[in-house]
Amino acid sequence: MTTKKDKLIDLCLLAGKLMLMYGAETYRVEDTMKRMAVAGGMDNVNSFVTTTGIFLSGVLEDDDDIMQMIRIVDRFQDLSKVTEVNHISREFVAGRMSITDARQELKRVEKQPMNYPLWLIYIASAIGGGAFSYLIGDSLFDMIPASIGGLVSTLALVLFQHYLQAKFFSEYLAAFFGGVTALILVHSGFGTNIDQIIIGSLIPLVPGVPLTNSVRDLMAGDLISGLARGAEAALTSLSIAAGVATAVSLFL
Amino acid sequence: MVWELIICGIATVAFAIIFNIPYRLLWMIGLIGMLSWSVYSFLPITGVGPVPAAAVAAFSSALISHFAARKKRVPVTTFTIPGIIPLVPGGRAYETMLAFVQGDYIEGLSQGAGTLLQAGAIAGGLAFALSIFSIGRGVGQRYETNR
């Protein structure tokens, strides 16, 4: 039998887990869970979130203390899910949604597919790579090979993350294939400015979410998560650099 | 210049799609990216180096992002993450990597220092805008003056 206490703490943990998994900052997750628990009638609420795990403790109406944790393994970048969970938690805190409704909504968010289909993300990384390369290199024609390179590196990243499931190695391989594509295009005469083309093909791999979140976590005083995310961003950038360095030293 | 701005807006919107940002916010993100690029490319004309220019550009785009996030009631990272993408020191990072591959370590170290400084400047700009918006809500440090 599930009591109100269990339902409430399940709801808070589910909201926190979704936010942390899809790329919210640590202090936002802590704040959201605490507000939801207090709005549900809990006292003595404490939440502690790191990049890889969530702890929540509290006491409901003179019952025993309750304390639960979950471990977060996967980290994706899907900011529209963070926005939706944020909205649901606001509605719950304002009292416009019951525990059961909020849980149903969160389950719906958990199950729903990505906001944009995968092919649109491929097209976006092609366009983003091409457009960004123009900002660096000033050559209109070289936008085309740069966007081909951006498309190849994102395709390779999604493919390797799906089949290999190795965090930094897949970024290394994606950067390697993006760099090889750019070099092949330049050597076959399709494109002139090699710097611009290589940068354009690698820019969709930039770890924007951990980079920004690291700064915000450090500023909010969450030193452990800030450093952890900073390490994630640094390792990702290093793997990208190593991948393109391999490609350049093999083929240039 | 106008072409650059338009292309920068397109690039920022494309990155917003890569980060899966909701459809209804895309146009604002394009404007924020154009703002940070115009600050970043205008300041060097007046004699400011690229590192302070990146800091000022990151600060101004983060400031606008905070206002927009207040207005739309969404997490502010939705705006800041794609907003700083045009400032990423991709060219310098590439030069660093190339110098190390070619065995020119001195050049690699100096370019690498430039890259790290620019990344730090972006982080500093973000942090400064964040501090302005969290006055009164920050964490206590050093002295307890309110006893």
Side-chain angles (χ1 to χ4, degrees):
Chain A
M1 136 181 187
T2 51
T3 55
K4 188 193 171 198
K5 180 177 74 177
D6 292 332
K7 275 187 189 165
L8 182 64
I9 208 151
D10 267 1
L11 179 74
C12 297
L13 283 176
L14 181 61
K17 176 184 153 194
L18 286 179
M19 288 187 104
L20 195 60
M21 256 174 80
Y22 291 107
E25 317 94 292
T26 306
Y27 91 94
R28 186 180 303 282
V29 180
E30 279 179 0
D31 197 47
T32 304
M33 289 202 306
K34 191 165 183 175
R35 275 168 200 258
M36 285 173 82
V38 170
M42 265 196 177
D43 285 326
N44 203 7
V45 182
N46 280 297
S47 64
F48 176 64
V49 176
T50 70
T51 318
T52 47
I54 296 176
F55 302 80
L56 181 68
S57 77
V59 53
L60 187 69
E61 288 155 10
D62 300 332
D63 209 337
D64 289 335
D65 265 318
I66 186 167
M67 154 111 202
Q68 285 200 12
M69 75 143 318
I70 20 179
R71 174 82 166 87
I72 307 289
V73 182
D74 301 319
R75 284 189 296 284
F76 307 105
Q77 47 182 33
D78 192 340
L79 295 176
S80 73
K81 285 194 175 177
V82 176
T83 316
E84 277 188 54
V85 176
N86 199 40
H87 179 72
I88 294 169
S89 84
R90 269 177 210 261
E91 295 284 300
F92 178 73
V93 170
R96 287 192 288 269
M97 213 182 248
S98 68
I99 293 185
T100 333
D101 291 350
R103 188 177 162 76
Q104 260 176 7
E105 283 288 294
L106 285 178
K107 282 282 175 198
R108 180 184 63 77
V109 173
E110 189 182 23
K111 287 211 181 72
Q112 83 184 9
M114 282 193 299
N115 190 26
Y116 297 107
L118 207 49
W119 58 266
L120 190 62
I121 290 180
Y122 292 142
I123 292 178
S125 52
I127 295 174
F132 190 86
S133 79
Y134 178 73
L135 297 181
I136 284 184
D138 277 343
S139 157
L140 265 181
F141 176 73
D142 283 345
M143 284 168 72
I144 299 165
S147 55
I148 296 173
L151 179 66
V152 168
S153 57
T154 312
L155 275 173
L157 182 69
V158 173
L159 190 76
F160 288 129
Q161 276 194 338
H162 185 72
Y163 286 108
L164 293 183
Q165 301 215 331
K167 180 131 182 60
F168 300 109
F169 188 56
S170 49
E171 264 124 5
Y172 169 83
L173 286 178
F176 175 72
F177 280 101
V180 167
T181 313
L183 288 167
I184 288 175
L185 284 173
V186 172
H187 280 298
S188 58
F190 190 63
T192 45
N193 195 345
I194 190 159
D195 306 10
Q196 178 185 344
I197 297 171
I198 287 188
I199 295 164
S201 1
L202 296 182
I203 203 76
L205 305 176
V206 166
V209 175
L211 204 66
T212 317
N213 281 345
S214 150
V215 175
R216 288 185 61 88
D217 282 348
L218 282 175
M219 285 302 291
D222 298 318
L223 300 177
I224 295 178
S225 337
L227 286 183
R229 282 195 212 262
E232 189 184 358
L235 277 177
T236 312
S237 325
L238 275 183
S239 352
I240 294 169
V244 74
T246 317
V248 166
S249 47
L250 281 181
F251 292 102
L252 195 66
Chain B
M1 188 70 194
V2 178
W3 271 112
E4 266 186 20
L5 271 185
I6 292 171
I7 286 177
C8 178
I10 293 172
T12 323
V13 170
F15 274 96
I17 293 175
I18 293 176
F19 294 128
N20 265 307
I21 282 160
Y23 175 71
R24 65 197 159 93
L25 304 172
L26 287 183
W27 63 276
M28 294 179 92
I29 287 164
L31 289 182
I32 288 172
M34 282 156 89
L35 170 84
S36 61
W37 177 256
S38 52
V39 173
Y40 179 59
S41 60
F42 175 72
L43 278 182
I45 300 175
T46 63
V48 182
V51 172
V56 175
F59 171 69
S60 48
S61 74
L63 202 64
I64 303 292
S65 302
H66 278 276
F67 282 116
R70 281 275 155 98
K71 189 146 184 306
K72 293 277 178 186
R73 294 183 156 268
V74 292
V76 65
T77 37
T78 321
F79 294 108
T80 43
I81 291 175
I84 57 159
I85 284 289
L87 311 174
V88 169
R92 277 203 161 163
Y94 174 75
E95 296 290 335
T96 310
M97 188 276 305
L98 202 63
F100 276 120
V101 167
Q102 287 163 350
D104 189 355
Y105 294 133
I106 302 293
E107 174 67 14
L109 283 180
S110 82
Q111 290 283 2
T115 313
L116 280 183
L117 268 182
Q118 188 164 342
I122 297 172
L126 282 180
F128 207 70
L130 175 67
S131 329
I132 286 182
F133 267 79
S134 62
I135 284 176
R137 288 187 287 133
V139 286
Q141 53 181 355
R142 296 218 181 188
Y143 304 115
E144 281 185 293
T145 45
N146 52 0
R147 282 277 160 94

PDB file of all heavy atoms in Angstrom, chain A residues 176-209:
ATOM      1  N   PHE A 176      36.934  12.401 -35.287  1.00  0.00           N
ATOM      2  CA  PHE A 176      37.847  11.819 -36.268  1.00  0.00           C
ATOM      3  C   PHE A 176      37.172  11.738 -37.637  1.00  0.00           C
ATOM      4  O   PHE A 176      37.733  12.168 -38.651  1.00  0.00           O
ATOM      5  CB  PHE A 176      38.266  10.423 -35.796  1.00  0.00           C
ATOM      6  CG  PHE A 176      39.114   9.682 -36.779  1.00  0.00           C
ATOM      7  CD1 PHE A 176      40.424  10.067 -37.005  1.00  0.00           C
ATOM      8  CD2 PHE A 176      38.612   8.602 -37.489  1.00  0.00           C
ATOM      9  CE1 PHE A 176      41.210   9.401 -37.905  1.00  0.00           C
ATOM     10  CE2 PHE A 176      39.390   7.929 -38.392  1.00  0.00           C
ATOM     11  CZ  PHE A 176      40.697   8.324 -38.606  1.00  0.00           C
ATOM     12  N   PHE A 177      35.932  11.216 -37.671  1.00  0.00           N
ATOM     13  CA  PHE A 177      35.272  11.076 -38.972  1.00  0.00           C
ATOM     14  C   PHE A 177      34.910  12.427 -39.568  1.00  0.00           C
ATOM     15  O   PHE A 177      35.009  12.608 -40.790  1.00  0.00           O
ATOM     16  CB  PHE A 177      34.033  10.181 -38.850  1.00  0.00           C
ATOM     17  CG  PHE A 177      34.386   8.738 -38.840  1.00  0.00           C
ATOM     18  CD1 PHE A 177      34.423   8.018 -37.662  1.00  0.00           C
ATOM     19  CD2 PHE A 177      34.723   8.087 -40.012  1.00  0.00           C
ATOM     20  CE1 PHE A 177      34.780   6.691 -37.646  1.00  0.00           C
ATOM     21  CE2 PHE A 177      35.077   6.754 -40.004  1.00  0.00           C
ATOM     22  CZ  PHE A 177      35.108   6.062 -38.818  1.00  0.00           C
ATOM     23  N   GLY A 178      34.513  13.404 -38.719  1.00  0.00           N
ATOM     24  CA  GLY A 178      34.253  14.745 -39.234  1.00  0.00           C
ATOM     25  C   GLY A 178      35.501  15.357 -39.846  1.00  0.00           C
ATOM     26  O   GLY A 178      35.466  15.920 -40.951  1.00  0.00           O
ATOM     27  N   GLY A 179      36.637  15.205 -39.145  1.00  0.00           N
ATOM     28  CA  GLY A 179      37.883  15.749 -39.659  1.00  0.00           C
ATOM     29  C   GLY A 179      38.301  15.078 -40.957  1.00  0.00           C
ATOM     30  O   GLY A 179      38.744  15.737 -41.906  1.00  0.00           O
ATOM     31  N   VAL A 180      38.138  13.723 -41.020  1.00  0.00           N
ATOM     32  CA  VAL A 180      38.510  12.996 -42.238  1.00  0.00           C
ATOM     33  C   VAL A 180      37.654  13.450 -43.411  1.00  0.00           C
ATOM     34  O   VAL A 180      38.166  13.681 -44.521  1.00  0.00           O
ATOM     35  CB  VAL A 180      38.378  11.476 -42.000  1.00  0.00           C
ATOM     36  CG1 VAL A 180      38.441  10.735 -43.323  1.00  0.00           C
ATOM     37  CG2 VAL A 180      39.473  10.993 -41.095  1.00  0.00           C
ATOM     38  N   THR A 181      36.338  13.637 -43.160  1.00  0.00           N
ATOM     39  CA  THR A 181      35.463  14.114 -44.230  1.00  0.00           C
ATOM     40  C   THR A 181      35.913  15.473 -44.743  1.00  0.00           C
ATOM     41  O   THR A 181      36.008  15.687 -45.966  1.00  0.00           O
ATOM     42  CB  THR A 181      34.020  14.233 -43.713  1.00  0.00           C
ATOM     43  OG1 THR A 181      33.708  13.054 -43.012  1.00  0.00           O
ATOM     44  CG2 THR A 181      33.060  14.442 -44.838  1.00  0.00           C
ATOM     45  N   ALA A 182      36.225  16.383 -43.799  1.00  0.00           N
ATOM     46  CA  ALA A 182      36.647  17.724 -44.214  1.00  0.00           C
ATOM     47  C   ALA A 182      37.925  17.646 -45.045  1.00  0.00           C
ATOM     48  O   ALA A 182      38.037  18.281 -46.101  1.00  0.00           O
ATOM     49  CB  ALA A 182      36.863  18.594 -42.979  1.00  0.00           C
ATOM     50  N   LEU A 183      38.902  16.816 -44.596  1.00  0.00           N
ATOM     51  CA  LEU A 183      40.170  16.732 -45.311  1.00  0.00           C
ATOM     52  C   LEU A 183      39.979  16.117 -46.694  1.00  0.00           C
ATOM     53  O   LEU A 183      40.574  16.580 -47.682  1.00  0.00           O
ATOM     54  CB  LEU A 183      41.162  15.904 -44.496  1.00  0.00           C
ATOM     55  CG  LEU A 183      41.681  16.629 -43.254  1.00  0.00           C
ATOM     56  CD1 LEU A 183      42.379  15.687 -42.332  1.00  0.00           C
ATOM     57  CD2 LEU A 183      42.613  17.733 -43.674  1.00  0.00           C
ATOM     58  N   ILE A 184      39.125  15.075 -46.788  1.00  0.00           N
ATOM     59  CA  ILE A 184      38.883  14.455 -48.097  1.00  0.00           C
ATOM     60  C   ILE A 184      38.261  15.465 -49.049  1.00  0.00           C
ATOM     61  O   ILE A 184      38.653  15.582 -50.217  1.00  0.00           O
ATOM     62  CB  ILE A 184      37.973  13.218 -47.936  1.00  0.00           C
ATOM     63  CG1 ILE A 184      38.755  12.086 -47.282  1.00  0.00           C
ATOM     64  CG2 ILE A 184      37.426  12.762 -49.280  1.00  0.00           C
ATOM     65  CD1 ILE A 184      37.908  10.888 -46.989  1.00  0.00           C
ATOM     66  N   LEU A 185      37.290  16.247 -48.531  1.00  0.00           N
ATOM     67  CA  LEU A 185      36.623  17.235 -49.388  1.00  0.00           C
ATOM     68  C   LEU A 185      37.620  18.270 -49.888  1.00  0.00           C
ATOM     69  O   LEU A 185      37.573  18.664 -51.056  1.00  0.00           O
ATOM     70  CB  LEU A 185      35.493  17.916 -48.621  1.00  0.00           C
ATOM     71  CG  LEU A 185      34.236  17.070 -48.455  1.00  0.00           C
ATOM     72  CD1 LEU A 185      33.255  17.766 -47.537  1.00  0.00           C
ATOM     73  CD2 LEU A 185      33.597  16.830 -49.803  1.00  0.00           C
ATOM     74  N   VAL A 186      38.534  18.702 -49.014  1.00  0.00           N
ATOM     75  CA  VAL A 186      39.501  19.708 -49.444  1.00  0.00           C
ATOM     76  C   VAL A 186      40.472  19.110 -50.458  1.00  0.00           C
ATOM     77  O   VAL A 186      40.783  19.727 -51.478  1.00  0.00           O
ATOM     78  CB  VAL A 186      40.252  20.274 -48.229  1.00  0.00           C
ATOM     79  CG1 VAL A 186      41.396  21.167 -48.678  1.00  0.00           C
ATOM     80  CG2 VAL A 186      39.311  21.079 -47.372  1.00  0.00           C
ATOM     81  N   HIS A 187      40.940  17.863 -50.201  1.00  0.00           N
ATOM     82  CA  HIS A 187      41.913  17.264 -51.103  1.00  0.00           C
ATOM     83  C   HIS A 187      41.335  16.963 -52.477  1.00  0.00           C
ATOM     84  O   HIS A 187      42.044  16.964 -53.471  1.00  0.00           O
ATOM     85  CB  HIS A 187      42.485  15.990 -50.482  1.00  0.00           C
ATOM     86  CG  HIS A 187      43.549  16.282 -49.476  1.00  0.00           C
ATOM     87  ND1 HIS A 187      44.714  16.921 -49.792  1.00  0.00           N
ATOM     88  CD2 HIS A 187      43.600  16.073 -48.137  1.00  0.00           C
ATOM     89  CE1 HIS A 187      45.443  17.073 -48.703  1.00  0.00           C
ATOM     90  NE2 HIS A 187      44.778  16.574 -47.681  1.00  0.00           N
ATOM     91  N   SER A 188      40.019  16.696 -52.519  1.00  0.00           N
ATOM     92  CA  SER A 188      39.418  16.424 -53.826  1.00  0.00           C
ATOM     93  C   SER A 188      39.013  17.719 -54.525  1.00  0.00           C
ATOM     94  O   SER A 188      38.325  17.680 -55.533  1.00  0.00           O
ATOM     95  CB  SER A 188      38.207  15.512 -53.658  1.00  0.00           C
ATOM     96  OG  SER A 188      37.290  16.116 -52.805  1.00  0.00           O
ATOM     97  N   GLY A 189      39.428  18.868 -53.988  1.00  0.00           N
ATOM     98  CA  GLY A 189      39.197  20.126 -54.682  1.00  0.00           C
ATOM     99  C   GLY A 189      37.864  20.774 -54.368  1.00  0.00           C
ATOM    100  O   GLY A 189      37.559  21.833 -54.900  1.00  0.00           O
ATOM    101  N   PHE A 190      37.085  20.186 -53.487  1.00  0.00           N
ATOM    102  CA  PHE A 190      35.769  20.730 -53.167  1.00  0.00           C
ATOM    103  C   PHE A 190      35.898  21.531 -51.882  1.00  0.00           C
ATOM    104  O   PHE A 190      35.603  21.063 -50.791  1.00  0.00           O
ATOM    105  CB  PHE A 190      34.776  19.570 -53.012  1.00  0.00           C
ATOM    106  CG  PHE A 190      33.357  20.022 -52.914  1.00  0.00           C
ATOM    107  CD1 PHE A 190      32.747  20.694 -53.965  1.00  0.00           C
ATOM    108  CD2 PHE A 190      32.608  19.766 -51.781  1.00  0.00           C
ATOM    109  CE1 PHE A 190      31.442  21.101 -53.874  1.00  0.00           C
ATOM    110  CE2 PHE A 190      31.292  20.167 -51.696  1.00  0.00           C
ATOM    111  CZ  PHE A 190      30.718  20.842 -52.745  1.00  0.00           C
ATOM    112  N   GLY A 191      36.387  22.770 -51.997  1.00  0.00           N
ATOM    113  CA  GLY A 191      36.618  23.582 -50.811  1.00  0.00           C
ATOM    114  C   GLY A 191      38.066  23.997 -50.753  1.00  0.00           C
ATOM    115  O   GLY A 191      38.950  23.256 -51.167  1.00  0.00           O
ATOM    116  N   THR A 192      38.326  25.208 -50.261  1.00  0.00           N
ATOM    117  CA  THR A 192      39.676  25.733 -50.282  1.00  0.00           C
ATOM    118  C   THR A 192      40.232  25.985 -48.891  1.00  0.00           C
ATOM    119  O   THR A 192      41.359  25.606 -48.593  1.00  0.00           O
ATOM    120  CB  THR A 192      39.706  27.061 -51.052  1.00  0.00           C
ATOM    121  OG1 THR A 192      38.605  27.844 -50.610  1.00  0.00           O
ATOM    122  CG2 THR A 192      39.602  26.830 -52.538  1.00  0.00           C
ATOM    123  N   ASN A 193      39.437  26.614 -48.030  1.00  0.00           N
ATOM    124  CA  ASN A 193      39.922  27.094 -46.740  1.00  0.00           C
ATOM    125  C   ASN A 193      39.795  25.981 -45.703  1.00  0.00           C
ATOM    126  O   ASN A 193      38.741  25.761 -45.132  1.00  0.00           O
ATOM    127  CB  ASN A 193      39.095  28.315 -46.337  1.00  0.00           C
ATOM    128  CG  ASN A 193      39.717  29.080 -45.230  1.00  0.00           C
ATOM    129  OD1 ASN A 193      40.622  28.575 -44.570  1.00  0.00           O
ATOM    130  ND2 ASN A 193      39.254  30.283 -45.005  1.00  0.00           N
ATOM    131  N   ILE A 194      40.916  25.274 -45.433  1.00  0.00           N
ATOM    132  CA  ILE A 194      40.803  24.039 -44.640  1.00  0.00           C
ATOM    133  C   ILE A 194      40.468  24.331 -43.179  1.00  0.00           C
ATOM    134  O   ILE A 194      39.693  23.574 -42.559  1.00  0.00           O
ATOM    135  CB  ILE A 194      42.089  23.213 -44.789  1.00  0.00           C
ATOM    136  CG1 ILE A 194      41.878  21.838 -44.188  1.00  0.00           C
ATOM    137  CG2 ILE A 194      43.281  23.876 -44.151  1.00  0.00           C
ATOM    138  CD1 ILE A 194      42.820  20.841 -44.687  1.00  0.00           C
ATOM    139  N   ASP A 195      40.972  25.423 -42.626  1.00  0.00           N
ATOM    140  CA  ASP A 195      40.655  25.756 -41.223  1.00  0.00           C
ATOM    141  C   ASP A 195      39.154  25.902 -41.042  1.00  0.00           C
ATOM    142  O   ASP A 195      38.542  25.310 -40.148  1.00  0.00           O
ATOM    143  CB  ASP A 195      41.297  27.098 -40.814  1.00  0.00           C
ATOM    144  CG  ASP A 195      42.768  27.153 -41.068  1.00  0.00           C
ATOM    145  OD1 ASP A 195      43.261  26.228 -41.739  1.00  0.00           O
ATOM    146  OD2 ASP A 195      43.402  28.105 -40.608  1.00  0.00           O
ATOM    147  N   GLN A 196      38.583  26.720 -41.943  1.00  0.00           N
ATOM    148  CA  GLN A 196      37.154  26.997 -41.827  1.00  0.00           C
ATOM    149  C   GLN A 196      36.328  25.718 -41.927  1.00  0.00           C
ATOM    150  O   GLN A 196      35.387  25.499 -41.160  1.00  0.00           O
ATOM    151  CB  GLN A 196      36.763  27.962 -42.940  1.00  0.00           C
ATOM    152  CG  GLN A 196      35.295  28.290 -42.942  1.00  0.00           C
ATOM    153  CD  GLN A 196      34.913  29.146 -44.120  1.00  0.00           C
ATOM    154  OE1 GLN A 196      35.770  29.736 -44.772  1.00  0.00           O
ATOM    155  NE2 GLN A 196      33.634  29.225 -44.381  1.00  0.00           N
ATOM    156  N   ILE A 197      36.703  24.829 -42.834  1.00  0.00           N
ATOM    157  CA  ILE A 197      35.900  23.623 -43.050  1.00  0.00           C
ATOM    158  C   ILE A 197      36.005  22.695 -41.848  1.00  0.00           C
ATOM    159  O   ILE A 197      34.999  22.138 -41.380  1.00  0.00           O
ATOM    160  CB  ILE A 197      36.336  22.932 -44.349  1.00  0.00           C
ATOM    161  CG1 ILE A 197      36.049  23.868 -45.511  1.00  0.00           C
ATOM    162  CG2 ILE A 197      35.582  21.647 -44.546  1.00  0.00           C
ATOM    163  CD1 ILE A 197      36.618  23.398 -46.793  1.00  0.00           C
ATOM    164  N   ILE A 198      37.222  22.537 -41.302  1.00  0.00           N
ATOM    165  CA  ILE A 198      37.363  21.626 -40.151  1.00  0.00           C
ATOM    166  C   ILE A 198      36.615  22.172 -38.938  1.00  0.00           C
ATOM    167  O   ILE A 198      35.899  21.443 -38.248  1.00  0.00           O
ATOM    168  CB  ILE A 198      38.846  21.386 -39.831  1.00  0.00           C
ATOM    169  CG1 ILE A 198      39.443  20.490 -40.909  1.00  0.00           C
ATOM    170  CG2 ILE A 198      39.009  20.734 -38.484  1.00  0.00           C
ATOM    171  CD1 ILE A 198      40.823  20.026 -40.619  1.00  0.00           C
ATOM    172  N   ILE A 199      36.744  23.488 -38.692  1.00  0.00           N
ATOM    173  CA  ILE A 199      36.040  24.062 -37.531  1.00  0.00           C
ATOM    174  C   ILE A 199      34.532  23.912 -37.701  1.00  0.00           C
ATOM    175  O   ILE A 199      33.813  23.552 -36.771  1.00  0.00           O
ATOM    176  CB  ILE A 199      36.436  25.539 -37.356  1.00  0.00           C
ATOM    177  CG1 ILE A 199      37.910  25.623 -37.004  1.00  0.00           C
ATOM    178  CG2 ILE A 199      35.638  26.182 -36.262  1.00  0.00           C
ATOM    179  CD1 ILE A 199      38.481  26.983 -37.190  1.00  0.00           C
ATOM    180  N   GLY A 200      34.036  24.189 -38.920  1.00  0.00           N
ATOM    181  CA  GLY A 200      32.600  24.054 -39.164  1.00  0.00           C
ATOM    182  C   GLY A 200      32.122  22.632 -38.971  1.00  0.00           C
ATOM    183  O   GLY A 200      31.015  22.400 -38.488  1.00  0.00           O
ATOM    184  N   SER A 201      32.975  21.629 -39.329  1.00  0.00           N
ATOM    185  CA  SER A 201      32.492  20.254 -39.156  1.00  0.00           C
ATOM    186  C   SER A 201      32.509  19.820 -37.701  1.00  0.00           C
ATOM    187  O   SER A 201      31.786  18.919 -37.333  1.00  0.00           O
ATOM    188  CB  SER A 201      33.308  19.260 -39.976  1.00  0.00           C
ATOM    189  OG  SER A 201      34.314  19.855 -40.675  1.00  0.00           O
ATOM    190  N   LEU A 202      33.348  20.463 -36.864  1.00  0.00           N
ATOM    191  CA  LEU A 202      33.429  20.006 -35.473  1.00  0.00           C
ATOM    192  C   LEU A 202      32.520  20.774 -34.534  1.00  0.00           C
ATOM    193  O   LEU A 202      32.256  20.307 -33.433  1.00  0.00           O
ATOM    194  CB  LEU A 202      34.867  20.132 -34.974  1.00  0.00           C
ATOM    195  CG  LEU A 202      35.842  19.244 -35.698  1.00  0.00           C
ATOM    196  CD1 LEU A 202      37.198  19.411 -35.106  1.00  0.00           C
ATOM    197  CD2 LEU A 202      35.399  17.808 -35.594  1.00  0.00           C
ATOM    198  N   ILE A 203      32.032  21.959 -34.967  1.00  0.00           N
ATOM    199  CA  ILE A 203      31.337  22.814 -34.007  1.00  0.00           C
ATOM    200  C   ILE A 203      30.032  22.187 -33.479  1.00  0.00           C
ATOM    201  O   ILE A 203      29.670  22.451 -32.334  1.00  0.00           O
ATOM    202  CB  ILE A 203      31.132  24.223 -34.604  1.00  0.00           C
ATOM    203  CG1 ILE A 203      30.957  25.256 -33.507  1.00  0.00           C
ATOM    204  CG2 ILE A 203      29.981  24.275 -35.545  1.00  0.00           C
ATOM    205  CD1 ILE A 203      32.229  25.601 -32.838  1.00  0.00           C
ATOM    206  N   PRO A 204      29.307  21.315 -34.215  1.00  0.00           N
ATOM    207  CA  PRO A 204      28.124  20.718 -33.591  1.00  0.00           C
ATOM    208  C   PRO A 204      28.438  19.813 -32.404  1.00  0.00           C
ATOM    209  O   PRO A 204      27.536  19.466 -31.650  1.00  0.00           O
ATOM    210  CB  PRO A 204      27.487  19.898 -34.722  1.00  0.00           C
ATOM    211  CG  PRO A 204      27.983  20.509 -35.942  1.00  0.00           C
ATOM    212  CD  PRO A 204      29.352  20.961 -35.643  1.00  0.00           C
ATOM    213  N   LEU A 205      29.708  19.434 -32.210  1.00  0.00           N
ATOM    214  CA  LEU A 205      30.035  18.547 -31.096  1.00  0.00           C
ATOM    215  C   LEU A 205      30.358  19.302 -29.805  1.00  0.00           C
ATOM    216  O   LEU A 205      30.573  18.676 -28.772  1.00  0.00           O
ATOM    217  CB  LEU A 205      31.250  17.685 -31.459  1.00  0.00           C
ATOM    218  CG  LEU A 205      31.158  16.861 -32.736  1.00  0.00           C
ATOM    219  CD1 LEU A 205      32.469  16.171 -32.986  1.00  0.00           C
ATOM    220  CD2 LEU A 205      30.070  15.834 -32.597  1.00  0.00           C
ATOM    221  N   VAL A 206      30.405  20.651 -29.867  1.00  0.00           N
ATOM    222  CA  VAL A 206      30.811  21.438 -28.703  1.00  0.00           C
ATOM    223  C   VAL A 206      29.918  21.140 -27.490  1.00  0.00           C
ATOM    224  O   VAL A 206      28.699  21.137 -27.621  1.00  0.00           O
ATOM    225  CB  VAL A 206      30.735  22.950 -29.037  1.00  0.00           C
ATOM    226  CG1 VAL A 206      30.805  23.788 -27.805  1.00  0.00           C
ATOM    227  CG2 VAL A 206      31.850  23.316 -29.957  1.00  0.00           C
ATOM    228  N   PRO A 207      30.508  20.855 -26.311  1.00  0.00           N
ATOM    229  CA  PRO A 207      29.698  20.518 -25.129  1.00  0.00           C
ATOM    230  C   PRO A 207      29.122  21.756 -24.473  1.00  0.00           C
ATOM    231  O   PRO A 207      29.560  22.162 -23.405  1.00  0.00           O
ATOM    232  CB  PRO A 207      30.699  19.799 -24.223  1.00  0.00           C
ATOM    233  CG  PRO A 207      31.997  20.392 -24.579  1.00  0.00           C
ATOM    234  CD  PRO A 207      31.953  20.738 -26.033  1.00  0.00           C
ATOM    235  N   GLY A 208      28.120  22.368 -25.090  1.00  0.00           N
ATOM    236  CA  GLY A 208      27.575  23.623 -24.572  1.00  0.00           C
ATOM    237  C   GLY A 208      26.864  23.470 -23.250  1.00  0.00           C
ATOM    238  O   GLY A 208      26.981  24.323 -22.375  1.00  0.00           O
ATOM    239  N   VAL A 209      26.108  22.369 -23.076  1.00  0.00           N
ATOM    240  CA  VAL A 209      25.304  22.222 -21.862  1.00  0.00           C
ATOM    241  C   VAL A 209      26.180  22.042 -20.624  1.00  0.00           C
ATOM    242  O   VAL A 209      26.030  22.799 -19.651  1.00  0.00           O
ATOM    243  CB  VAL A 209      24.304  21.066 -22.023  1.00  0.00           C
ATOM    244  CG1 VAL A 209      23.565  20.825 -20.743  1.00  0.00           C
ATOM    245  CG2 VAL A 209      23.343  21.358 -23.139  1.00  0.00           C
TER     246      VAL A 209
END
